[in-house]
Amino acid sequence: MSDTTAPGPQADTQKTVRRKPVSSSPDDLKTFAVLKRTATDYLLPNWRLVAASLIGSVVVAGTTGILPWLIQQVFDEVLDRKDITKLILIAVGTIGVSAFKGAAAYTTNITKNAIGQRIISAIQSRMFTRIMRADLAWISRTHSGRFISSFMNDAGRVRDTVTMSIIDFTQNSLTVVALMGSMFFMNWKLALLGCSVIPFGMIYMRKLGKKTRKASRQGLEGTGDLSAHISEALGGIRVVKAYNQEDREITRVSDKVQEVLRHSMRGFRAKAKASPLTESLSGVGIAGVIYFGGMAVIDAHLTKGELMAFISAMMLAYQPLKSVANTQTIMQEGVAAAARVFPILDVEPEIVSRPDAKPIDLKHGAIRFEDVNFAYADGTHALKGISIEVPRGHTVALVGPSGGGKSTTLNMVPRFYDPSSGRVVIDGQDIRDVTLSSLRQSISLVTQEPFLFDDTVRANIAYGRPDASDAEIEEAARNAAAHDFITALPRGYETRVGEAGMKLSGGQRQRIAIARAMLKNAPILLLDEATSALDTASELQVQTALSALMKGRTTLVIAHRLSTIKHANNIYVIDDGRVLESGDHASLVAQGGLYAELSRSQFERDVSDEDNAAPEAATAVKAAVARA
Ligand code: ADP
């Protein structure tokens, strides 16, 4: 995001803002680094549970290691000597050992899952916090569906890495070590023979792990795209239906589903390929032990009990060994997921309050743009030396062709973006010198498409001031010409508005958004007028509400309506990131430049609408337009 760090008049002071790297570098995401980070970030804080789980693992491993010894005792001490008392003792001992092992396995299981759940909730909450606090520029680069997929899928995979690879790995390796220990203790030559196949298995599993990681990464990316497609198709369902494009969306999504399926199958195949090899290798190992061990028994170098114990130890080691070998593949899936999660967890907002920032000292709310330049991250040079003055309590309108830079200009005031050079000043204070929260507290923003949350009308109005009293909320609604329609709703202020306010009309949604701004009662108003036409009655109500909202506030408005423009104290015509003309309506029309041209095409509807309301004004405009 070089756009906010480019040198400008404030470059020196800006250097004082501490900046961390925006996201993890790919090197950070190497397997070891990922495991280390996962362990320090997520296992360390849960060390008590981890310790309990490890103790459980040690007990499971130890008790498993005892079993072959018990078997040896049965053959060598009991059967040969016909010692019934010892036989009973061993039977009881086996029950005891198994029960102990069961209890330990239970502890490990419970603690492992508790750790897993804590990890997933920690990742999800941290991820959401990071996204909410991130810069708008960063958020708008990523489709919301991909974020959701990271919440749902990637976080789960990271958890699996920790619980399945780190914890299970510890338990299984301990068990393998205990069993191998007893094997070496019994007969080191046979043990060496039995273990000779392990390195081959390990090399092969490593190869498979890489394949799984690749398939897994592609699968996760596909799942991210899939959720992006689905949320887009649902969000735009009316357009989809109106243009008869259901089939296209269905094909798009099923293609993605197939793609994800292909990647998952590739991953599964890589994982499944592990079995034939590990089975055959362990078969070779056991066969070798049976042959050479059998020969040793025949030659009386080994007792029958020792051979039985040895084979049992190998059989017991087989399952945990297979899991240890499989850890590679599971771990690689987690690494692929972590590669998607960590960059989100690492994102640092660049637009922050400076360490020495003070709350804004607001006397008048006068805004001044001083030679503001701005380029988006993709290089679009959107503002090229914008200078605008909005004196206290005045309304200043921005007009101009679409793509000219009006929204970008408006977005500079709440610091959604920072200028590359030049500055925005409110009451003499560079807005980068005041705290971000005090700046945003002094601004109300009413957007073109008012956004309502799926909550009650009351909650939507009180969004910026959850502590507002009923009387205050009602007053704001009255001032926004919304009280009457709200009370006519089935449950009045308690009516839920539906997803994105779908249950209300466009004009009603706008008036609720205006009421929200009324209640916030900030001295500065940023207004992006809706371009979509409302019916005349709604339009009039919205206009009334807006006029009430603008009264006494310093207002910067992207104007699409003639009535707004006529009431503005000053108008700036913006095109290609520059201020082309400025002045009041009449003088601009008289200039016969871009504004005159725009007003002829853009405001004709307004002019004919206003014929009834204000004939003389409309005639004057028409005359001016005709002159131009
Ligand atoms: P207006 O509000 O006058 O229609 P904008 O301020 O939205 O114009 O856009 C100004 C220029 O910046 C346009 O060229 C537009 O394509 C570009 N632009 C707007 N938003 C972004 C963005 N998020 N990333 C890159 N370019 C953008």
Side-chain angles (χ1 to χ4, degrees):
M1 280 183 284
S2 57
D3 43 55
T4 54
T5 51
Q10 282 70 44
D12 282 349
T13 35
Q14 250 191 322
K15 275 188 198 136
T16 57
V17 180
R18 194 171 54 90
R19 296 237 166 97
K20 285 191 190 162
V22 169
S23 66
S24 336
S25 71
D27 280 343
D28 286 346
L29 305 169
K30 293 264 162 61
T31 313
F32 178 71
V34 166
L35 289 179
K36 190 172 152 217
R37 174 163 175 187
T38 321
T40 39
D41 288 4
Y42 300 103
L43 285 184
L44 217 55
N46 294 310
W47 69 268
R48 282 196 183 82
L49 283 175
V50 175
S53 167
L54 287 182
I55 292 171
S57 301
V58 171
V59 173
V60 170
T63 45
T64 314
I66 291 175
L67 289 174
W69 179 78
L70 288 173
I71 289 168
Q72 189 209 340
Q73 294 296 307
V74 173
F75 276 82
D76 291 348
E77 302 288 324
V78 178
L79 296 185
D80 287 353
R81 297 179 195 170
K82 303 201 173 20
D83 185 341
I84 306 287
T85 325
K86 208 158 193 181
L87 186 66
I88 293 170
L89 264 176
I90 291 176
V92 173
T94 309
I95 295 175
V97 168
S98 304
F100 203 44
K101 181 179 171 180
Y106 172 81
T107 313
T108 311
N109 242 333
I110 291 281
T111 45
K112 183 178 83 177
N113 284 303
I115 296 167
Q117 290 317 311
R118 286 189 186 190
I119 288 173
I120 205 163
S121 48
I123 292 180
Q124 286 175 334
S125 345
R126 283 182 204 181
M127 201 149 47
F128 191 67
T129 309
R130 288 289 176 167
I131 296 171
M132 281 294 107
R133 300 215 183 285
D135 290 334
L136 209 58
W138 181 83
I139 298 171
S140 47
R141 276 205 293 273
T142 308
H143 197 290
S144 55
R146 295 213 174 79
F147 284 134
I148 292 167
S149 159
S150 278
F151 270 94
M152 296 314 183
N153 301 311
D154 302 341
R157 297 283 175 102
V158 176
R159 172 200 57 191
D160 293 347
T161 305
V162 178
T163 54
M164 290 165 80
S165 64
I166 301 183
I167 297 176
D168 285 357
F169 178 79
T170 316
Q171 175 169 342
N172 289 324
S173 347
L174 283 174
T175 309
V176 170
V177 167
L179 289 166
M180 279 190 180
S182 61
M183 279 158 68
F184 274 91
F185 182 72
M186 286 186 271
N187 188 318
W188 68 270
K189 281 187 203 154
L190 267 190
L192 217 54
L193 178 76
C195 297
S196 61
V197 291
I198 294 176
F200 298 103
M202 287 294 177
I203 294 168
Y204 183 67
M205 296 305 288
R206 236 185 114 74
K207 252 197 181 149
L208 291 183
K210 282 194 182 131
K211 269 195 189 156
T212 318
R213 175 171 169 178
K214 190 171 164 210
S216 186
R217 195 195 64 232
Q218 289 168 331
L220 289 173
E221 272 165 16
T223 313
D225 289 348
L226 185 64
S227 54
H229 281 339
I230 292 171
S231 69
E232 200 165 78
L234 290 176
I237 190 69
R238 287 198 230 195
V239 179
V240 173
K241 287 194 180 294
Y243 284 86
N244 275 328
Q245 293 301 320
E246 292 97 326
D247 286 342
R248 184 162 91 179
E249 295 305 324
I250 292 167
T251 315
R252 214 152 74 117
V253 167
S254 6
D255 285 353
K256 260 295 159 218
V257 169
Q258 290 303 323
E259 191 190 314
V260 172
L261 179 70
R262 270 199 307 278
H263 294 312
S264 333
M265 280 316 295
R266 216 143 37 90
F268 288 136
R269 271 199 297 273
K271 269 193 270 183
K273 270 188 191 156
S275 303
L277 191 94
T278 47
E279 300 284 343
S280 321
L281 278 179
S282 61
V284 170
I286 293 173
V289 167
I290 289 175
Y291 178 76
F292 290 103
M295 291 303 275
V297 174
I298 291 169
D299 294 345
H301 296 312
L302 200 69
T303 65
K304 270 187 262 168
E306 279 168 344
L307 180 62
M308 282 312 293
F310 204 91
I311 294 175
S312 319
M314 273 196 89
M315 300 272 196
L316 283 172
Y318 172 65
Q319 190 54 43
L321 191 63
K322 223 171 61 173
S323 304
V324 168
N326 253 328
T327 307
Q328 265 289 333
T329 52
I330 293 168
M331 208 157 66
Q332 294 304 343
E333 283 186 347
V335 170
R340 294 161 54 80
V341 168
F342 287 163
I344 299 179
L345 292 176
D346 286 345
V347 76
E348 287 285 342
E350 297 203 348
I351 298 183
V352 289
S353 302
R354 287 184 181 161
D356 54 348
K358 296 192 175 52
I360 191 166
D361 178 15
L362 215 58
K363 294 191 188 74
H364 312 297
I367 311 168
R368 201 170 64 238
F369 281 69
E370 294 177 0
D371 197 22
V372 170
N373 276 283
F374 173 73
Y376 284 101
D378 67 358
T380 309
H381 198 170
L383 303 183
K384 303 170 182 166
I386 293 275
S387 293
I388 288 173
E389 215 32 267
V390 192
R392 165 194 192 179
H394 279 215
T395 296
V396 164
L398 303 178
V399 298
S402 163
K406 304 179 294 294
S407 310
T408 311
T409 305
L410 211 67
N411 284 339
M412 293 285 145
V413 185
R415 286 189 73 196
F416 288 160
Y417 298 96
D418 274 346
S420 319
S421 71
R423 51 183 207 150
V424 180
V425 174
I426 294 179
D427 285 349
Q429 302 150 84
D430 185 330
I431 56 173
R432 285 171 297 193
D433 291 337
V434 300
T435 60
L436 201 56
S437 60
S438 71
L439 171 71
R440 290 185 181 163
Q441 192 55 43
S442 48
I443 297 169
S444 281
L445 174 69
V446 179
T447 52
Q448 216 175 53
E449 286 299 328
F451 186 84
L452 300 190
F453 295 88
D454 184 8
D455 204 335
T456 59
V457 171
R458 173 192 308 281
N460 267 292
I461 296 177
Y463 188 70
R465 275 189 54 200
D467 58 335
S469 70
D470 287 356
E472 286 172 314
I473 291 171
E474 206 178 297
E475 192 195 342
R478 273 184 209 283
N479 289 334
H483 178 72
D484 290 345
F485 93 76
I486 294 171
T487 43
L489 290 171
R491 302 195 55 218
Y493 281 86
E494 300 306 326
T495 312
R496 291 189 79 91
V497 300
E499 190 177 339
M502 289 303 253
K503 291 185 193 161
L504 301 174
S505 78
Q508 289 172 334
R509 282 201 295 273
Q510 273 173 4
R511 278 179 280 155
I512 290 185
I514 293 167
R516 183 190 286 162
M518 282 281 186
L519 187 66
K520 187 175 179 188
N521 197 20
I524 294 171
L525 174 65
L526 301 177
L527 181 61
D528 192 355
E529 270 188 348
T531 38
S532 52
L534 296 171
D535 60 83
T536 318
S538 299
E539 179 85 47
L540 209 64
Q541 284 160 330
V542 170
Q543 276 305 319
T544 316
L546 279 178
S547 307
L549 181 62
M550 287 154 83
K551 203 167 171 189
R553 289 177 224 274
T554 306
T555 306
L556 188 59
V557 49
I558 298 179
H560 301 289
R561 298 195 186 89
L562 185 64
S563 54
T564 312
I565 291 167
K566 279 197 312 187
H567 289 122
N569 303 92
N570 205 2
I571 300 161
Y572 286 85
V573 183
I574 294 184
D575 187 23
D576 191 25
R578 293 186 177 87
V579 174
L580 291 193
E581 302 163 8
S582 66
D584 63 14
H585 174 70
S587 71
L588 283 173
V589 169
Q591 271 182 34
L594 180 62
Y595 182 82
E597 202 181 301
L598 279 173
S599 58
R600 202 164 37 222
S601 57
Q602 204 172 332
F603 310 133
E604 256 168 10
R605 184 185 64 85
D606 286 359
V607 172
S608 57
D609 279 355
E610 293 211 353
D611 269 351
N612 308 324
E616 60 297 6
T619 318
V621 174
K622 274 183 176 164
V625 167
R627 271 201 311 277

